[in-house]
Amino acid sequence: MPDPTTHPTRVSTQTRLTAVIVACALFMQNLDSTVIATALPTMARAFGYDPVRMNVALTSYLLSLTVFIPASGWVADRFGTRNVFRAAIVVFTIGSILCGLSDGLVELVAARVLQGLGGAMMVPVGRLLLLRTAAKSELVAAMAWLTMPALLGPVVGPPLGGFIVTYFSWRWTFFINIPIGIIGLAAVTLFITDFREPPKGAFDLRGLALVGIGLACATFGLETVGRGVTSAALTEAMIAGGLAAAFLYYLHARRHPAPLLDFTLMRLPTFSLSFTAMMLFRTGIGAIPFLLPMMLQVGFGDSAARSGLITFASSAGALVMKPAAQHALRLFGFRNTLLWNGVLSGIMLAACAAFRPTWPAAAIYAVLLVGGFLRSLQFTAYNTLAYGDVKRAQMSAATSLYTAGQQFAGTIGVSIGALSLELARLASGHGTPQTADFSTAFVVVSLMALAAAPIALFMPATAGDELTGRRQGVAPVPKAGE
């Protein structure tokens, strides 16, 4: 155990290499998510659908991720992290090809579900590879190394997606994953070390079924409430069914020796507080990939290419933050960072509600750039602190639970953003969403992000100091070259 008063060690070569390779897979996933968000209005016209209701192409993928992520820890322990990671890249790439070949929304959603299955193994297992490679004192820096290349996806995605759908076909927004998948598969095969841990017991199939039913019903209910696409009775029944399945899983998990989602991890203070706050924050932030491109294209009337060039500023800000994350956390500590940076992040998200077509592009860029910078620091802090007190034997379970919660919050964020937009449109009597309707939706999701900040007050002042080498009351000066 490293001395918490010492400066953290530099990241080892193997940790850095593992982080970069895993990030290639995350790059592919993040590129895909941001490209499709920019392309949704164009795809809606091709399929003959209302652009607002095209959010099902996002939520179907996120729901698939959430349903299958809980199985990732057990599968990785049973078959090996490297083998599962490679298989996940293959499945995701095949799903991308099928998305590009889709001729209707139903086919697209089915292919997105297959993509989600690949992503469900790729994201948590990739993170698990890094957590098992890195020493505890390397975690903050390792997470930054992991996230920096992965953030290139959101930076490149919006302008690339806008360029593709403006000058080529939207189908190429999916086909570009093919070469990335091939390169990632080769790199994992050549350079990644395989890790295996004996599974605690047999696979929890009943738990997977209950989790899947609960998440599917809850998401369906949120997708349809107030939208008029189905009866109110069916919507209420689906939400009630989701809650019932969640309660049944809770009873099941208390009796099962190795439940699919191990909620005993919530007894660890740093994990439980980070997890709870992350869920709220992620729900608010998760609506951005849906609301922002839609506002620029439907509300402002911008082209997909111009929308993409503006949207990328948010991810560019996140990319700039990563090298500074470790220094910021060492200087201010996790608790102060999560509290005050969380407040500022929520305010910057709320500022998007003030966007109007008359705003200078530079002003919109500035808001998005600063907001992305702050959100990146917030997620780095949550994602690192959550694993600070987790033992090696629990790492697979912790990764499955945390990543499942992260993805479910993102799914709910898109659903709440779409629901808020639809209700605002109906209340205003607009046939298609107007700028004011998007403003209402941004205010709603920003309040959810802001609600996460006060949770940091329940953390001790020294929370996470071991991860950064920070001494209470003293911030050590970084060594030259770091």
Side-chain angles (χ1 to χ4, degrees):
M1 184 73 67
D3 183 352
T5 66
T6 61
H7 189 275
T9 60
R10 294 188 179 187
V11 181
S12 67
T13 301
Q14 183 59 41
T15 297
R16 191 172 299 174
L17 180 63
T18 301
V20 172
I21 292 174
V22 170
C24 288
L26 301 188
F27 170 82
M28 177 169 64
Q29 188 201 43
N30 291 337
L31 178 68
D32 178 87
S33 299
T34 50
V35 164
I36 188 177
T38 305
L40 280 182
T42 301
M43 296 167 67
R45 290 192 294 271
F47 293 156
Y49 277 88
D50 181 347
V52 175
R53 294 181 180 177
M54 282 295 292
N55 74 296
V56 69
L58 296 177
T59 53
S60 59
Y61 172 74
L62 293 172
L63 178 61
S64 180
L65 273 179
T66 309
V67 169
F68 293 111
I69 277 174
S72 62
W74 189 94
V75 173
D77 286 343
R78 172 67 177 80
F79 298 103
T81 47
R82 185 177 65 177
N83 291 336
V84 173
F85 195 59
R86 287 188 299 189
I89 293 175
V90 171
V91 172
F92 187 90
T93 305
I94 292 173
S96 298
I97 295 172
L98 294 177
C99 285
L101 297 175
S102 299
D103 289 322
L105 186 58
V106 174
E107 295 175 24
L108 177 64
V109 167
R112 291 286 283 170
V113 170
L114 180 62
Q115 268 192 314
L117 174 60
M121 296 293 126
M122 192 160 56
V123 176
V125 174
R127 182 176 291 172
L128 182 59
L129 273 170
L130 184 60
L131 289 169
R132 286 179 170 169
T133 301
K136 181 175 287 191
S137 59
E138 295 180 312
L139 278 183
V140 176
M143 285 295 179
W145 271 95
L146 171 65
T147 314
M148 281 180 64
L151 282 171
L152 290 173
V155 171
V156 175
L160 179 62
F163 179 80
I164 289 174
V165 300
T166 301
Y167 300 106
F168 297 97
S169 167
W170 63 264
R171 299 182 188 278
W172 284 99
T173 61
F174 296 103
F175 293 154
I176 57 176
N177 286 332
I178 298 174
I180 302 172
I182 293 173
I183 293 171
L185 184 63
V188 172
T189 302
L190 293 173
F191 301 111
I192 292 292
T193 303
D194 196 25
F195 293 98
R196 294 187 187 223
E197 292 279 346
K200 292 182 179 179
F203 182 70
D204 184 13
L205 185 60
R206 179 178 297 179
L208 180 63
L210 289 173
V211 168
I213 292 171
L215 293 174
C217 289
T219 302
F220 179 88
L222 288 172
E223 278 290 299
T224 56
V225 65
R227 306 284 290 277
V229 296
T230 187
S231 67
L234 178 59
T235 296
E236 293 168 2
M238 294 300 287
I239 294 176
L243 293 174
F247 180 70
L248 289 175
Y249 178 78
Y250 169 75
L251 298 177
H252 165 78
R254 294 186 62 182
R255 298 190 301 266
H256 198 282
L260 200 66
L261 293 177
D262 186 3
F263 288 105
T264 62
L265 289 161
M266 299 298 284
R267 298 171 186 168
L268 299 174
T270 52
F271 185 89
S272 62
L273 291 171
S274 298
F275 181 84
T276 304
M278 176 276 298
M279 288 284 288
L280 279 171
F281 189 74
R282 174 72 172 169
T283 298
I285 301 305
I288 296 177
F290 170 71
L291 286 177
L292 188 57
M294 197 73 69
M295 177 191 229
L296 294 172
Q297 294 181 56
V298 177
F300 289 11
D302 288 344
S303 67
R306 177 175 168 80
S307 167
L309 288 172
I310 294 175
T311 304
F312 97 100
S314 180
S315 297
L319 188 63
V320 171
M321 163 48 68
K322 285 307 168 183
Q326 186 175 18
H327 300 284
L329 290 170
R330 191 184 309 129
L331 179 62
F332 301 110
F334 277 88
R335 187 178 72 173
N336 288 334
T337 299
L338 289 173
L339 174 61
W340 298 112
N341 189 72
V343 171
L344 292 174
S345 296
I347 292 173
M348 294 310 296
L349 178 57
C352 296
F355 288 171
R356 291 295 181 270
T358 54
W359 273 44
I364 296 178
Y365 276 125
V367 171
L368 296 178
L369 190 70
V370 174
F373 183 89
L374 297 171
R375 289 192 294 272
S376 177
L377 176 57
Q378 197 77 357
F379 279 126
T380 298
Y382 284 137
N383 295 346
T384 305
L385 185 62
Y387 299 102
D389 295 329
V390 177
K391 297 178 180 178
R392 180 183 175 87
Q394 296 177 295
M395 201 62 79
S396 296
T399 304
S400 295
L401 178 58
Y402 188 88
T403 312
Q406 194 173 42
Q407 294 300 331
F408 182 59
T411 305
I412 297 302
V414 174
S415 298
I416 290 178
L419 174 61
S420 301
L421 179 60
E422 181 72 3
L423 293 178
R425 182 186 68 81
L426 292 174
S428 62
H430 295 144
T432 58
Q434 303 298 309
T435 303
D437 303 325
F438 285 100
S439 296
T440 300
F442 270 113
V443 169
V444 171
V445 298
S446 66
L447 290 175
M448 301 198 69
L450 276 170
I455 295 176
L457 294 173
F458 294 94
M459 299 177 183
T462 57
D465 281 0
E466 183 183 76
L467 304 176
T468 60
R470 180 178 185 267
R471 290 181 296 177
Q472 179 64 14
V474 179
V477 179
K479 295 178 181 179
E482 294 192 348

